[in-house]
Amino acid sequence: MSDKHPKQGKWRRVLAVLLIVAALGGGFVWWNLFREPAQELADDSMEEYFKYGSIGTEQQDGIPYWIWLVLPKMFPEYLPGPGGWASLGFGWEQGREMPVGFSKKVIGFERVGVNCALCHTATLRETPTGAPTIYLGGPPNRVDVLGYQRFLFKSAADPRFDAGNILGQIAQVYEMSLVDRLLYRYLLIPATRKAILEQREQFAWTDSRPDWGRGRIDPFNPVKVRALGVDPGETTGNSDMQSIWNMAPRVEHGMALHWDGLNTDLTEVVLSSAIGDGTLPKVLPVKKLKELETWLKALPAPKFADRFPVDRQLATVGEPIYREQCARCHAMDGEKTGQVLTLNDPEWAAAGTDTGGLPPYTDRHRADLWTPEAAAAYNAYAADYPWDFSHFRSTGGYVNVPLDGLWLRAPYLHNGSVPYLGELLEPPQGRTEVFHRGLDVYDPARMGFVAEGPDAERLGSRYDTRVIGNSNQGHLWGTDLEPDQKQALIEYLKLL
């Protein structure tokens, strides 16, 4: 027995060494790929979280920070113009390292994801050379979401997207440790390229649809394809991004949410929006998003009068016109406000005026996007999670939305097809057929962002109302008013 003890001791020592090596290796892998400390933000306010906080998109779609940082310098030809990421219209606060709507979170390594503010932050300038003001909760007239994705797709498909080139660019701005260089060279850069190219295949259906353009998005076909496994078919959902301020009265009055009223539960809308942005359900930060929901309920709409003058006397003349023509469907306490008006509802056709032979109905493509099949799939999507979904539905129409902060929600209609508020009170044949959207210089007289001229053409995206999903037909209410009545009504609308 004495002869066996030394051998047993030897194997025990070997086993101990192997266990230590495995533990160290596991710790190294965990530290560099999976550790997840609390995100560092400038402060603990919900405003800061809305602008830069993580909603969980870094887990599936996060891009390693240093790769994300150098891509615009490496592939400027795939951007719409000079200025790096800013050329895609992202709002950027002075002194911040990232645009509003982007988060940086450590999951093993620093990763960049997107959040709610990307699609819900407006910017406005009074002059072409003026500094932009950022309005949280507003629709971003400038942001080109599909342009951002396609930039990533083209960059990843470029042969120059390799470890040598990317590390060379990173070395010009940051000195990496040896471990980080090896991690980036042999793992993160190849894996990032592969993941982006796989995502390109998931978005291949966008190549057969009209471009979203600046300030617009197809909000639910990506969800159908990536999360639900539902074929988008021939549907085109291109539509304006919506304002998300003043949510408390919407909840109080039981209003339907989204353009087509596909859900009436704000909690489900907030959680599903994070999933739509690329968050996996297993990492959905439910508690934090609930805090965000509470913050959104109290977020006020910005006031036109805080920025531009209002003719109060004329607005007084316009108020009874608003009460008669608009309040039933658009006042916070309106009889029909927040309800879905289906496209076969006789109220559409009875709205009112000679259209010159054009159909009186609004563009129906966004209403047809969310099918009964997709609604059923989304209601079943979270069955294994305590938060669950149950309020998704297909409506076949559009919601009569409140008009709070209307002045900052141009261009108008669900698809952003009418550049100025005054044009919405004209019959469809009197509305601009082709314009450019994406300039954030505001015209307070016409109640909209400047949509013509060299700056709009250079910095914006061309909007042709004859393209599928872009029709400016419909919403005939108020088009038969006299010119002085329209002027008074618009002056009153500036106060909402």
Side-chain angles (χ1 to χ4, degrees):
M1 293 183 64
S2 61
D3 291 340
K4 294 181 180 179
H5 288 164
K7 292 182 179 179
Q8 289 177 348
K10 176 183 177 181
W11 285 113
R12 287 193 184 107
R13 288 192 294 273
V14 171
L15 180 60
V17 170
L18 290 175
L19 289 173
I20 291 172
V21 171
L24 291 174
F28 177 84
V29 171
W30 172 83
W31 180 266
N32 286 283
L33 296 179
F34 301 109
R35 68 185 170 95
E36 193 169 343
Q39 186 183 21
E40 295 183 7
L41 296 173
D43 59 53
D44 293 329
S45 69
M46 285 311 300
E47 178 177 314
E48 182 75 2
Y49 175 74
F50 178 73
K51 291 187 290 187
Y52 304 109
S54 170
I55 61 171
T57 59
E58 302 84 6
Q59 185 79 32
Q60 176 176 237
D61 294 336
I63 300 174
Y65 172 73
W66 294 108
I67 298 177
W68 180 88
L69 185 71
V70 302
L71 284 182
K73 185 177 179 182
M74 290 186 64
F75 304 107
E77 66 271 31
Y78 301 141
L79 289 168
W85 291 126
S87 68
L88 290 164
F90 306 137
W92 212 309
E93 294 182 303
Q94 187 173 3
R96 304 305 290 259
E97 67 172 330
M98 306 184 72
V100 173
F102 285 81
S103 63
K104 184 170 76 171
K105 181 176 174 61
V106 173
I107 307 177
F109 51 92
E110 291 180 322
R111 311 184 190 202
V112 175
V114 299
N115 66 22
C116 305
L118 179 66
C119 296
H120 299 291
T121 299
T123 61
L124 179 146
R125 291 178 296 154
E126 294 187 28
T127 66
T129 57
T133 299
I134 290 176
Y135 292 96
L136 301 183
N141 184 45
R142 297 185 61 229
V143 170
D144 188 350
V145 173
L146 188 59
Y148 173 66
Q149 291 177 313
R150 286 179 171 169
F151 168 80
L152 295 177
F153 300 159
K154 291 176 183 177
S155 298
D158 194 298
R160 293 170 294 166
F161 193 105
D162 65 18
N165 288 322
I166 292 176
L167 286 172
Q169 289 293 331
I170 293 173
Q172 295 182 25
V173 295
Y174 176 69
E175 185 176 351
M176 279 186 168
S177 67
L178 175 61
V179 171
D180 283 344
R181 289 200 302 272
L182 293 174
L183 187 67
Y184 265 75
R185 178 177 292 277
Y186 295 109
L187 180 60
L188 298 187
I189 292 174
T192 299
R193 183 175 187 272
K194 179 182 178 182
I196 293 175
L197 292 179
E198 287 176 351
Q199 190 180 94
R200 181 182 66 170
E201 294 303 310
Q202 294 175 329
F203 279 85
W205 56 270
T206 63
D207 296 332
S208 63
R209 311 308 201 268
D211 286 352
W212 301 347
R214 291 183 180 263
R216 300 206 310 164
I217 193 171
D218 185 327
F220 291 111
N221 271 329
V223 176
K224 286 196 253 181
V225 173
R226 301 190 74 199
L228 305 181
V230 174
D231 189 338
E234 300 300 319
T235 58
T236 297
N238 296 0
S239 53
D240 253 26
M241 302 174 202
Q242 287 190 288
S243 60
I244 54 172
W245 47 57
N246 279 341
M247 298 308 296
R250 287 166 167 79
V251 173
E252 178 185 348
H253 292 288
M255 296 183 190
L257 305 172
H258 292 291
W259 285 119
D260 58 347
L262 63 87
N263 200 306
T264 57
D265 186 281
L266 180 58
T267 298
E268 290 192 14
V269 168
V270 172
L271 295 179
S272 63
S273 294
I275 291 171
D277 286 338
T279 302
L280 296 171
K282 63 182 180 181
V283 298
L284 194 65
V286 176
K287 181 179 178 181
K288 201 67 180 179
L289 290 174
K290 188 64 179 178
E291 295 176 18
L292 179 62
E293 175 188 334
T294 300
W295 180 77
L296 289 173
K297 288 180 179 179
L299 181 66
K303 298 295 186 182
F304 181 94
D306 291 342
R307 189 76 185 245
F308 302 106
V310 177
D311 185 334
R312 301 278 176 169
Q313 185 174 356
L314 185 59
T316 300
V317 177
E319 182 174 4
I321 301 173
Y322 165 79
R323 296 296 172 194
E324 180 182 348
Q325 295 282 334
C326 314
R328 178 170 175 262
C329 293
H330 295 297
M332 276 294 183
D333 58 354
E335 175 192 350
K336 293 283 188 178
T337 307
Q339 298 182 26
V340 175
L341 187 60
T342 59
L343 295 184
N344 60 2
D345 192 301
E347 287 204 32
W348 284 104
T353 189
D354 179 15
T355 64
L358 295 171
Y361 305 107
T362 194
D363 192 296
R364 68 173 300 122
H365 288 87
R366 173 64 181 80
D368 292 337
L369 167 66
W370 199 243
T371 61
E373 178 189 13
Y378 222 173
N379 283 329
Y381 177 75
D384 296 333
Y385 294 89
W387 33 274
D388 207 357
F389 293 145
S390 61
H391 288 76
F392 283 100
R393 60 184 183 168
S394 178
T395 67
Y398 296 110
V399 175
N400 298 320
V401 296
L403 303 184
D404 50 336
L406 180 66
W407 67 282
L408 197 55
R409 286 156 55 178
Y412 300 99
L413 295 183
H414 77 275
N415 55 5
S417 58
V418 180
Y420 303 110
L421 188 59
E423 289 193 10
L424 196 57
L425 296 177
E426 298 298 327
Q429 64 268 31
R431 299 169 183 171
T432 302
E433 188 172 70
V434 177
F435 59 95
H436 287 78
R437 49 176 301 159
L439 193 63
D440 61 356
V441 177
Y442 195 78
D443 185 335
R446 291 189 289 177
M447 292 281 281
F449 295 97
V450 175
E452 64 286 311
D455 285 345
E457 293 179 14
R458 178 173 56 88
L459 299 173
S461 53
R462 189 174 188 268
Y463 192 102
D464 189 336
T465 59
R466 297 163 295 187
V467 171
I468 183 172
N470 286 5
S471 173
N472 62 2
Q473 305 300 297
H475 200 283
L476 307 180
W477 293 274
T479 57
D480 55 354
L481 292 172
E482 295 298 324
D484 60 337
Q485 292 178 304
K486 294 177 182 179
Q487 185 179 0
L489 174 59
I490 289 174
E491 204 66 20
Y492 177 75
L493 293 174
K494 293 177 181 179
L495 298 178
L496 299 181

